[in-house]
Each structure stands twice: as C-alpha cells, then as structure tokens.
Amino acid sequence: AQSVTQLDSQVPVFEEAPVELRCNYSSSVSVYLFWYVQYPNQGLQLLLKYLSGSTLVESINGFEAEFNKSQTSFHLRKPSVHISDTAEYFCAVSENNQGGKLIFGQGTELSVKP
Amino acid sequence: DAGVIQSPRHEVTEMGQEVTLRCKPISGHNSLFWYRQTMMRGLELLIYFNNNVPIDDSGMPEDRFSAKMPNASFSTLKIQPSEPRDSAVYFCASSWGGETQYFGPGTRLLVL
C-alpha cells in the first residue's frame, strides 16, 4: 500500500543555515510527488512537484527537491533559510493511476530562529 | 482566479447539531477532494469526486458524514449529528486531470 514517511516531526534551525526535510515513500507503481507548505492558520500551498522529467525540481523561493527512485525519497532542501520559512511542510505522493488521490506524510515543523 | 473558496471559515456548534461545510472549486477543475486535519491524525482524505461523481469515500469516518457535489462548481460536506471528536480543520481541494491539487483556506470546526 502507498505510504509517506517524513522522518522528522520538528526541525529547528538558525537563520541563513541550510536545511533538509526528509521524505520517503512506498509505492509499487510510478508516482507523482509533491511538497506543500502550511503557514499558521492557513491552507496548504503547493511548494514544488515532480511529475516526470528532470529529477531535480525547484520552487520560486529557493527550495529544491530531488526525486530518487532507487531510494524512494523526495527530500526538500534549502541552502539558506529565512525567518519567513517557518511553517509546516508536508510531503505527498499520488499514484499515477489513482485519479489524483494524495497520500500525505505527517508533516515537518520547520522553525527558523534568528 | 479566486482559488478554492470555503465557507464558513469558522464554525462553533453544539454536540448533536447538523453542520454543513461548503466548497467552490477552481473554475474548470474536474476533481474535488475533502480532507480533515487534526493534531492526532494529521491530514486525512475523506472523499473525492471526479466529474461530480464520488470515486472514493473510504475515508469518511462513519454514516454521520455525507458529501455531495450537485454540480461542477459546488460541494458540501455534512455532519449530522456532530460530536466533539469531529472538531478539526476541514479542507477542500480541487484539481484538473488528477494532477496538482489546490487547497482552500479551510473551515475550522469546533463542536462543544
């Protein structure tokens, strides 16, 4: 069965430090992969996605994620974080034949400190 | 584009009352999803529709929950009767062609 594991529930970092949020998934078929961000008291916003093609995908605000099929991972990275990146981050997977049904990880709370 | 619209944004009700949550998907999208978010269980998919037809309702907790999509621009999630354990944030999302989902701002429900 499809599942998503986010290995860290909380990640505290200092401003301008690099960060990696880890995500592993299990699936027996090809998948689409997503990272969503949720700011306090708001809905989820799409950060970036992998559908096909290049395994490295980037967002407009400096995040990137790399699809690694052999390790079934889709880790999210940013070389230098800002206070404004403080939020909860969700990894999600959709199997290509499931009509868009998303399975979410439990989320990682990123806390950026000055 | 206005994005996915949900109403109400906040709802406080008493146990036993009926609650109706509403969602307007992004125009042109043909898939609609209802999620529930709690601290204990995270984000759970309750039900989703393709072309107004319910495809998978296996996440609906029990018979007290029902969802409808009478047309392509409107959906409701109803809880009757409501219970304190239904307190959560309920999100609606829509997509086109089963690809990227776009989420509404959510309805924060508190059942006393």
Side-chain angles (χ1 to χ4, degrees):
Chain A
Q2 213 178 33
S3 68
V4 179
T5 302
Q6 291 184 242
L7 295 162
D8 306 296
S9 60
Q10 294 181 320
V11 174
V13 295
F14 288 106
E15 194 173 19
E16 298 183 5
V19 71
E20 178 180 79
L21 307 183
R22 296 179 290 171
C23 173
N24 286 89
Y25 69 93
S26 67
S27 176
S28 57
V29 299
S30 59
V31 296
Y32 296 151
L33 295 159
F34 303 83
W35 276 100
Y36 283 85
V37 58
Q38 186 178 29
Y39 299 101
N41 299 315
Q42 295 188 26
L44 279 74
Q45 300 174 30
L46 179 69
L47 189 59
L48 46 74
K49 62 185 178 184
Y50 170 78
L51 304 179
S52 65
S54 173
T55 57
L56 183 65
V57 290
E58 299 177 351
S59 73
I60 58 173
N61 57 352
F63 283 93
E64 65 178 31
E66 186 159 20
F67 169 50
N68 188 318
K69 188 174 182 179
S70 63
Q71 297 187 3
T72 59
S73 69
F74 192 54
H75 301 330
L76 182 69
R77 302 183 182 94
K78 188 170 185 180
S80 176
V81 294
H82 302 288
I83 297 287
S84 59
D85 293 324
T86 295
E88 186 139 21
Y89 292 78
F90 292 91
C91 181
V93 61
S94 171
E95 292 183 342
N96 294 358
N97 61 351
Q98 290 294 309
K101 180 177 177 178
L102 279 178
I103 303 298
F104 282 89
Q106 284 296 100
T108 297
E109 186 180 336
L110 175 65
S111 176
V112 182
K113 304 180 186 306
Chain B
D1 195 330
V4 176
I5 299 172
Q6 291 186 247
S7 64
R9 292 293 308 276
H10 302 273
E11 177 82 24
V12 181
T13 190
E14 293 187 344
M15 183 173 63
Q17 295 298 306
E18 178 180 292
V19 175
T20 299
L21 311 181
R22 297 173 176 79
C23 175
K24 177 178 170 55
I26 292 172
S27 178
H29 282 189
N30 63 346
S31 296
L32 184 139
F33 306 80
W34 281 101
Y35 292 89
R36 178 172 68 175
Q37 185 178 37
T38 61
M39 290 292 292
M40 293 297 294
R41 300 174 67 90
L43 268 165
E44 303 173 277
L45 176 66
L46 300 177
I47 185 171
Y48 76 96
F49 297 82
N50 279 345
N51 298 315
N52 312 338
V53 176
I55 301 300
D56 184 350
D57 65 354
S58 59
M60 295 286 262
E62 49 199 271
D63 291 345
R64 298 185 297 106
F65 285 70
S66 62
K68 293 182 180 180
M69 192 165 186
N71 57 62
S73 59
F74 184 66
S75 177
T76 59
L77 178 68
K78 187 174 293 187
I79 308 173
Q80 166 63 20
S82 59
E83 297 182 2
R85 60 189 168 129
D86 301 330
S87 297
V89 182
Y90 291 81
F91 289 105
C92 175
S94 69
S95 71
W96 185 87
E99 202 189 88
T100 306
Q101 291 184 26
Y102 295 89
F103 283 72
T107 295
R108 190 172 298 271
L109 174 65
L110 177 60
V111 182
L112 301 174

